[in-house]
């Protein structure tokens, strides 16, 4: 065979003749594109960009990091969002979501969802382990996240940012596959107190799909303790297949944002009332569990159309 | 009312600038500058004109300072004499003695004095330490997770303790405690400015700390106002915003050399022994986790904002040293 296979069946589209007044010619568009890219590179190389006091580098996040994880969002997990209208357009709010998946990919997907579909940068509150690890710590800061502590949460909410929190923490993200979609205990309710102090609504959020990406069927507890990690998972493919086992399974994802729970009817001093804080925390937890159950049914198979 | 101001640490850059700014104020009748070494010569070493400041050579660690305060009817004391890095011949022990014992002597003299009405003490944001467990932005009343245990930061924390004790014992004296971010500017010579002028910048692998600077002009203005007006309390002083270390290196057009943190410490110890640059343990922590402070309390108290942001202060420093990013000037 002398002609390569692709050559034989290739269709060359016939486009309309370029007009002068209509739009820019492809060459101009390309030049524009290149100019923007060069300007971007120039800014990066000369350090001429802004980071906020938390270390958030919006340009790097939008133009590089999110671009890199977006294929995972659209093609691998085919994430669908429901009830985006519950995210405020420009004011502060606290997004409270379930946490799962052994590796916190749900945090990344939530960030893409809110950036692309609500136009808002998400500022997550992360565990202190993240900020002790090299690479991860500064990547987390550069993409807008910070340590889960009262001062940082209050500061971000006061500035009208959209703050995200996973109150289950490691208990949620590291739970075994058999306990999937069962919400774990919700910390000490510090996130509720922060929302009350800032008077911002709490948006209960359910993420369905992350549970199936790395089904955790075992835990190398001793090794994890030696490495200072909260857990070291065994999945059907890890560590059996080595690095290949780190490829997440392509489950179908859905993210639903629930009706906001208002906190502005309380005085800021109500944040110091433990009973009230516990009650609201329980309420938020129940709402998320309910959202999760409904959304899971609505999604159907985790790996459509087969399983 | 006539004022007589005592400024300690006038032989160093910021101290000299504060003394000369106060000397230019017609409301102040006398400015007395003290230090352990005489100020650098104007012509030879590029010293700064102290104006009509009267210089007295006093070792702060000795009780002589009490005689100076008593003899001159001093009403305002500006204590700038904190050494941030051990000198080549003195070492760490001498530095600690200078910082801590010197401050104790000075405050002891102030406590005895019937004329002192106002005490302004320079401290540093290093007292907050740098840790992955602490909030991203420190406010004045935040207790750090891990307080400083080394060097300058520890000295400063101890000095602050004595200053608070003094403020308790003499409630009639206005005490202002200023926590400065790292000084930056054309005339500043500090471990950090020396670091940025190296040909290659060693960094800690996998970390990109947030740094904050205060321009020397703003620092002098804050000190001048604190010395001439009553602003009791503790204040953070820094330029608005932060710069990442990587961003600083790019702006300076210097390549970075990421080292694993143990290697960074070893190398740091080696260069310190040669006396090139200072890489103290607290500096390694700063180079890993960074630090930023909130300055809204200062801005509200003075009704004034620092003229230079952190970025502008660093750019001014780069301009004065002729450092520029790869490919010329920034747009």
């Amino acid at each position: 065979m002398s002609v390569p296979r692709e050559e034989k069946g290739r269709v060359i589209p016939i486009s309309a003749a370029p007009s002068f007044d209509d739009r820019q010619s492809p060459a101009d568009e390309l030049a524009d594109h290149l100019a923007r890219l060069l300007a971007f590179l120039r800014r990066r190389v000369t350090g001429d960009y802004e980071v906020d006091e938390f270390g958030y580098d919006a340009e790097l996040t939008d133009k590089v990091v999110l671009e890199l994880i977006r294929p995972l969002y659209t093609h691998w997990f085919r994430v669908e969002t429901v009830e985006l209208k519950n995210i405020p357009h420009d004011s502060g709010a606290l997004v409270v979501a379930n946490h799962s998946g052994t590796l916190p990919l749900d945090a990344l997907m939530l960030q893409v969802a809110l950036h692309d579909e609500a136009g808002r940068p998400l500022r997550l509150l992360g565990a202190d382990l993240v900020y002790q690890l090299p690479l991860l710590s500064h990547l987390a800061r550069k993409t807008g996240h910070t340590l889960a502590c009262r001062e940082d949460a209050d500061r971000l909410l006061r500035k009208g940012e959209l703050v995200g929190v996973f109150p289950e923490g490691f208990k949620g993200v590291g739970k075994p596959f058999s306990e999937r979609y069962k919400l774990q205990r919700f910390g000490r309710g510090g996130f509720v107190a922060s929302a009350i102090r800032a008077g911002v609504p709490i948006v209960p959020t359910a993420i369905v799909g992350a549970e199936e990406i790395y089904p955790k069927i075992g835990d190398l507890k001793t090794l994890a303790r030696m490495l200072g990690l909260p857990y070291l998972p065994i999945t059907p493919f890890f560590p059996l297949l080595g690095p290949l086992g780190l490829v997440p399974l392509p489950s179908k994802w859905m993210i639903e944002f629930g009706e906001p729970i208002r906190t502005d009817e309380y005085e800021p001093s109500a944040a110091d009332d433990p009973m009230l804080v516990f009650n609201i925390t329980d309420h938020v937890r129940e709402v998320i569990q309910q959202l999760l159950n409904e959304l899971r049914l609505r999604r159907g198979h985790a790996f459509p159309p087969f399983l | 009312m006539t004022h007589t101001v005592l400024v300690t640490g006038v032989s160093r850059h910021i101290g000299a600038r504060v003394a000369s700014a106060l000397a230019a104020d017609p409301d102040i009748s006398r400015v007395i500058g003290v230090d352990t070494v005489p100020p650098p010569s104007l012509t030879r070493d590029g010293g700064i004109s102290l104006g009509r400041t009267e210089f007295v050579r006093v070792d702060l660690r000795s009780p002589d300072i009490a005689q100076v305060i008593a003899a001159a009817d001093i009403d305002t004391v500006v204590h700038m004499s904190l050494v941030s890095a051990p000198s080549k011949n003195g070492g760490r022990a001498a530095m600690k003695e200078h910082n801590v014992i010197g401050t104790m002597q000075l405050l002891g003299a102030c406590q005895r004095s019937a004329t002192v009405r106002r005490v302004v003490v320079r401290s540093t944001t290093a007292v907050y330490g740098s840790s992955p467990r602490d909030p991203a932005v420190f406010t004045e009343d935040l207790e750090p997770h891990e307080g400083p245990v080394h060097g300058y930061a520890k000295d400063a924390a101890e000095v602050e303790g004595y200053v608070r004790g003094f403020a308790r014992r003499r409630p009639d004296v206005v005490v202002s405690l200023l926590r400065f971010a790292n000084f930056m500017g054309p005339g500043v010579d500090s471990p950090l400015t020396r670091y940025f002028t190296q040909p290659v910048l060693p960094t800690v692998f996998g970390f990109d700390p947030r740094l904050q600077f205060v321009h020397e002009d703003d620092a002098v203005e804050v000190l001048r106002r604190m010395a001439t007006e009553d602003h009791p309390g503790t204040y953070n002083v820094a330029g608005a915003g932060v710069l990442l270390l990587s961003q600083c290196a790019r702006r300076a057009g210097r390549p970075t050399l990421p080292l694993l943190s143990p290697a960074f410490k070893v190398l740091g110890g080696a260069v310190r022994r040669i006396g090139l640059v200072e890489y103290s343990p607290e500096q390694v922590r700063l180079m890993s986790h960074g630090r930023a402070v909130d300055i809204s309390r200062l801005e509200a108290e003075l009704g004034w904002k620092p003229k230079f942001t952190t970025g502008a202060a660093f750019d001014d420093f780069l301009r004065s040293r002729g450092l520029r990013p790869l490919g010329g000037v920034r747009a």
Side-chain angles (χ1 to χ4, degrees):
Chain A
M1 225 199 268
S2 58
V3 188
R5 263 181 54 161
E6 286 92 349
E7 281 296 290
K8 237 181 11 186
R10 213 169 80 181
V11 177
I12 299 165
I14 303 165
S15 54
S19 59
F20 288 103
D21 52 1
D22 199 353
R23 268 197 312 267
Q24 284 186 314
S25 71
D28 278 353
E29 239 169 70
L30 187 72
D32 251 25
H33 208 75
L34 263 177
R36 272 200 302 276
L37 181 71
L38 278 176
F40 169 73
L41 286 177
R42 188 187 169 81
R43 278 197 303 278
R44 301 310 298 186
V45 167
T46 56
D48 195 12
Y49 49 88
E50 295 278 322
V51 300
D52 80 353
E53 55 190 1
F54 294 89
Y56 173 42
D57 188 338
E59 192 181 49
L60 183 80
T61 305
D62 290 1
K63 301 224 165 106
V64 182
V65 181
L66 291 183
E67 291 290 338
L68 288 175
I69 50 181
R70 193 164 291 124
L72 208 58
Y73 179 86
T74 42
H75 301 302
W76 195 256
F77 297 131
R78 296 141 295 159
V79 185
E80 252 178 75
T81 50
V82 185
E83 299 291 327
L84 267 169
K85 64 170 173 51
N86 285 326
I87 298 291
H89 292 296
D90 46 9
S91 54
L94 188 66
V95 175
V96 181
N98 60 310
H99 206 15
S100 60
T102 310
L103 287 182
L105 293 189
D106 47 357
L108 299 180
M109 295 303 121
L110 187 62
Q111 187 175 11
V112 178
L114 288 168
H115 177 270
D116 289 8
E117 300 183 37
R120 297 214 54 183
L122 175 68
R123 315 297 299 266
L124 287 171
L125 304 176
D128 55 0
L129 176 70
V130 172
Y131 297 94
Q132 290 166 26
L133 298 175
L135 294 176
L136 204 57
S137 70
H138 80 96
L139 260 177
R141 284 216 174 278
K142 279 181 183 163
T143 48
H145 313 311
T146 189
L147 181 74
C149 63
R150 172 189 163 149
E151 291 80 7
D152 285 6
D154 288 356
R155 204 173 175 84
L156 283 168
L157 288 173
R158 264 204 312 274
K159 286 167 75 180
E161 299 277 357
L162 189 63
V163 178
V165 65
F166 298 102
E168 296 170 273
F170 289 121
K171 297 188 298 295
V173 71
K175 68 182 176 296
F177 189 58
S178 56
E179 285 178 41
R180 60 192 178 281
Y181 298 114
K182 285 198 191 92
L183 276 188
Q184 304 296 301
R185 194 170 58 78
F186 264 23
R188 279 163 283 185
F191 68 97
V192 170
S194 281
I196 294 176
R197 274 194 296 273
V200 299
I202 294 172
V203 183
T205 301
I207 304 175
V208 166
E211 296 277 17
E212 292 93 5
I213 59 171
Y214 299 110
K216 185 182 147 191
I217 51 176
D219 194 344
L220 299 166
K221 286 210 178 79
T222 323
L223 194 59
R225 208 170 302 135
M226 276 161 61
L227 293 171
L229 298 172
Y231 55 88
L232 197 66
I234 303 174
T235 75
F237 306 106
F238 183 85
L240 195 66
L241 299 185
L244 206 62
L246 288 175
V247 176
L249 299 181
S251 53
K252 164 74 183 170
W253 286 42
M254 287 184 90
I255 301 178
E256 177 168 354
F257 302 100
E259 192 83 21
I261 297 165
R262 287 179 58 178
T263 64
D264 54 352
E265 48 217 35
Y266 308 107
E267 291 292 310
S269 60
D272 297 327
D273 176 1
M275 274 322 282
L276 177 76
V277 171
F278 278 132
N279 286 342
I280 300 179
T281 309
D282 278 349
H283 177 56
V284 173
R285 191 170 173 275
E286 277 160 27
V287 171
I288 296 176
Q289 183 67 66
Q290 199 152 6
L291 282 174
L292 262 180
N293 297 346
E294 287 164 15
L295 195 64
R296 197 183 165 196
L297 278 176
R298 191 165 156 190
R299 181 199 56 167
H301 292 303
F303 302 97
F306 313 112
L307 291 157
Chain B
M1 185 185 161
T2 57
H3 286 297
T4 308
V5 184
L6 176 86
V7 183
T8 70
V10 287
S11 296
R12 259 160 317 176
H13 184 67
I14 303 281
R17 286 200 55 186
V18 172
S20 77
L22 292 172
D25 188 337
D27 288 346
I28 293 170
S29 49
R30 277 179 85 189
V31 180
I32 298 170
V34 299
D35 209 327
T36 41
V37 288
S41 143
L42 283 184
T43 45
R44 201 153 31 83
D45 311 318
I48 287 187
S49 164
L50 294 177
R52 56 194 170 92
T53 305
E54 302 156 48
F55 179 75
V56 185
R57 186 169 176 174
V58 176
D59 189 341
L60 271 190
R61 289 166 294 178
S62 70
D64 299 350
I65 188 71
Q67 290 165 20
V68 177
I69 290 182
D73 284 349
I74 302 238
D75 54 62
T76 302
V77 174
V78 182
H79 182 35
M80 299 280 302
S81 184
L82 283 187
V83 192
S84 60
S87 66
K88 278 195 189 98
N89 37 28
R92 170 75 186 111
M95 166 186 162
K96 185 180 174 70
E97 206 165 292
H98 179 101
N99 287 342
V100 179
I101 309 294
T103 303
M104 286 176 76
Q105 288 283 0
L106 180 71
L107 291 176
C110 291
Q111 196 175 326
R112 281 281 187 82
S113 160
T115 54
V116 171
R117 286 279 150 271
R118 198 180 289 141
V119 174
V120 181
V121 180
R122 166 205 164 174
S123 180
T124 162
T125 57
V127 295
Y128 297 117
S130 294
S131 135
R133 292 202 183 86
D134 277 325
V137 185
F138 288 100
T139 51
E140 284 84 351
D141 31 45
L142 212 91
E143 283 288 316
H145 215 277
E146 293 160 36
V149 286
H150 291 289
Y152 177 47
K154 184 167 180 248
D155 290 358
E158 283 178 21
V159 163
E160 287 200 359
Y162 291 117
V163 171
R164 275 188 289 271
F166 170 77
R168 262 197 310 277
R169 287 188 291 272
R170 284 291 302 269
D172 56 316
V173 175
V174 175
V175 178
S176 313
L177 188 58
L178 304 174
R179 292 178 180 154
F180 286 96
N182 288 97
F183 292 130
M184 203 43 81
V188 179
D189 178 37
S190 72
L192 205 64
T193 61
R194 285 195 291 275
Y195 170 83
F196 283 116
T197 48
Q198 296 172 110
V200 176
L201 309 183
T203 60
V204 183
F205 170 78
F207 290 98
D208 197 3
R210 292 162 300 133
L211 302 176
Q212 221 176 14
F213 307 126
V214 56
H215 193 275
E216 50 179 288
D217 293 359
D218 287 327
V220 170
E221 174 63 12
V222 169
L223 282 157
R224 189 193 65 78
R225 294 184 63 161
M226 290 284 171
T228 50
E229 304 157 13
D230 285 345
H231 301 289
T234 305
Y235 303 95
N236 292 331
V237 188
V242 299
L243 282 178
L244 298 180
L245 178 59
S246 61
Q247 213 177 352
C248 293
R250 289 173 193 181
R251 287 189 180 196
R254 290 287 195 250
T256 55
L257 175 68
L259 299 168
L260 291 171
S261 73
F264 190 90
K265 281 174 196 155
V266 170
L267 183 84
V271 277
R272 180 157 49 161
R273 270 190 294 281
I274 317 168
L276 277 177
V277 224
E278 162 77 351
Y279 285 101
S280 53
E282 85 231 48
Q283 197 135 12
V284 177
R285 296 183 65 78
L286 178 67
M287 287 299 181
S288 306
H289 306 297
R291 183 192 311 127
V293 298
D294 179 89
I295 49 167
S296 45
R297 187 189 281 186
L298 178 85
E299 288 178 348
E301 175 75 22
L302 295 186
W304 169 89
K305 278 184 193 320
K307 279 202 305 254
F308 289 82
T309 62
T310 288
F314 191 65
D315 286 345
D316 193 38
F317 159 74
L318 292 180
R319 248 193 312 279
S320 71
R321 305 290 162 101
L323 293 170
R324 51 181 51 148
L326 212 65
V329 239
R330 287 189 303 118

